[in-house]
Amino acid sequence: MSQLKNTLDRIGLKQVELARLLDVSPRTVSMWATGDAPVPGPVDAYLRVLENSGPDTVASELGRLKGRHKAFDEGIYMLSYADPNAKGHAGGDALAVLRAGRIIGSDRWGGLFEGSYRFDSVHEANHFHVRIKVPPEGELVNGIVAGRDGALLDVVAVLDRATPEAVATVDIGGRPVALRLAYLGPIPN
C-alpha cells in the first residue's frame, strides 16, 4: 500500500474526498496513490496538518464542501442586462471576470464595474456586491442618465450558480434591471 493510501486510511479520508478538498480530479489523486506522480509538497503538508489535527478538523474541512457545487467558478462570464419593463430588446452585454472573490468587467459603451462575490455555504447562495462606474452622459438600460460627471452605482444581488446561466432582477437606482450571467470559460494563464 502506498504512503498516500496509508495516510488517508489513518485520517479516515477517501481519495475522492481528498480530490474534492483540493479541487483536483480523482485521477490526479489516483496517480499520487499509485506512485505514477509525486504528491506535491503543499498537499503532503496539508495531509500532515489533517492527520495531526484530529477528526474534528477533517470533519470541518469536509463541511467546507457542502454546497460548493453551487458556488460560482472562477472564470470569464457574459453578463446580459435589460429593462424588464421595456418592450422589445432594451439591453446590452458586458464581459465579467470572477477571480479570488473579486469581480471586474466592462460593457461596450465604456461602463465599468468592480466588486466582490462570496459563496455563503450555510444558505448555499452566491452574494455579489458591484459598483458600476457610468461614464459622463451615460444612460443605463433602465433609463437612468449619469449626467455630465458620470455616476457610481452600487448593486447587490444573490445569484444561483451559472449552470448554464444565472438569472436575477436587481435594483439599480430604484429601477429594476434583469441580469443574465453565463459562464464562458476559465481565465487563461
Side-chain angles (χ1 to χ4, degrees), residues 150-171:
L152 291 175
L153 299 167
D154 286 315
V155 179
V156 176
V158 177
L159 298 169
D160 289 330
R161 181 178 182 184
T163 55
E165 58 188 27
V167 178
T169 299
V170 298
D171 178 282

Side-chain angles (χ1 to χ4, degrees), residues 2 11 60 104 110 114-115 120-121 165 185:
S2 77
I11 295 172
S60 174
I104 59 170
E114 62 181 328
D120 175 355
S121 61
E165 58 188 27

Side-chain angles (χ1 to χ4, degrees), residues 86-108:
K87 299 201 184 324
H89 180 72
D93 297 313
L95 200 65
V97 176
L98 278 67
R99 184 173 194 161
R102 303 291 305 151
I103 181 171
I104 59 170
S106 176
D107 68 16
R108 66 183 81 195

Side-chain angles (χ1 to χ4, degrees), residues 19-179:
R20 288 181 59 218
L21 284 170
L22 298 174
D23 200 20
V24 298
S25 73
R27 171 97 173 105
T28 298
V29 175
S30 176
M31 289 174 63
W32 296 337
T34 60
D36 291 339
V39 176
V43 172
D44 194 41
Y46 176 64
L47 290 169
R48 278 195 308 276
V49 168
L50 290 180
E51 188 172 13
N52 291 307
S53 297
D56 289 343
T57 301
V58 174
S60 174
E61 285 293 283
L62 290 171
R64 283 189 307 116
L65 299 174
K66 180 182 179 252
R68 191 161 84 179
H69 65 283
K70 294 183 177 183
F72 271 77
D73 292 324
E74 289 188 349
I76 301 170
Y77 288 79
M78 173 61 71
L79 173 64
S80 301
Y81 48 88
D83 180 343
N85 300 318
K87 299 201 184 324
H89 180 72
D93 297 313
L95 200 65
V97 176
L98 278 67
R99 184 173 194 161
R102 303 291 305 151
I103 181 171
I104 59 170
S106 176
D107 68 16
R108 66 183 81 195
W109 296 281
L112 301 172
F113 55 93
E114 62 181 328
S116 61
Y117 67 96
R118 69 175 176 80
F119 179 68
D120 175 355
S121 61
V122 173
H123 298 101
E124 297 186 354
N126 297 282
H127 295 263
F128 286 81
H129 176 242
V130 176
R131 176 162 281 180
I132 302 171
K133 296 177 185 174
V134 185
E137 304 304 333
E139 184 175 347
L140 298 177
V141 346
N142 61 2
I144 294 175
V145 178
R148 67 180 198 147
D149 294 328
L152 291 175
L153 299 167
D154 286 315
V155 179
V156 176
V158 177
L159 298 169
D160 289 330
R161 181 178 182 184
T163 55
E165 58 188 27
V167 178
T169 299
V170 298
D171 178 282
I172 299 179
R175 297 182 187 162
V177 173
L179 299 178

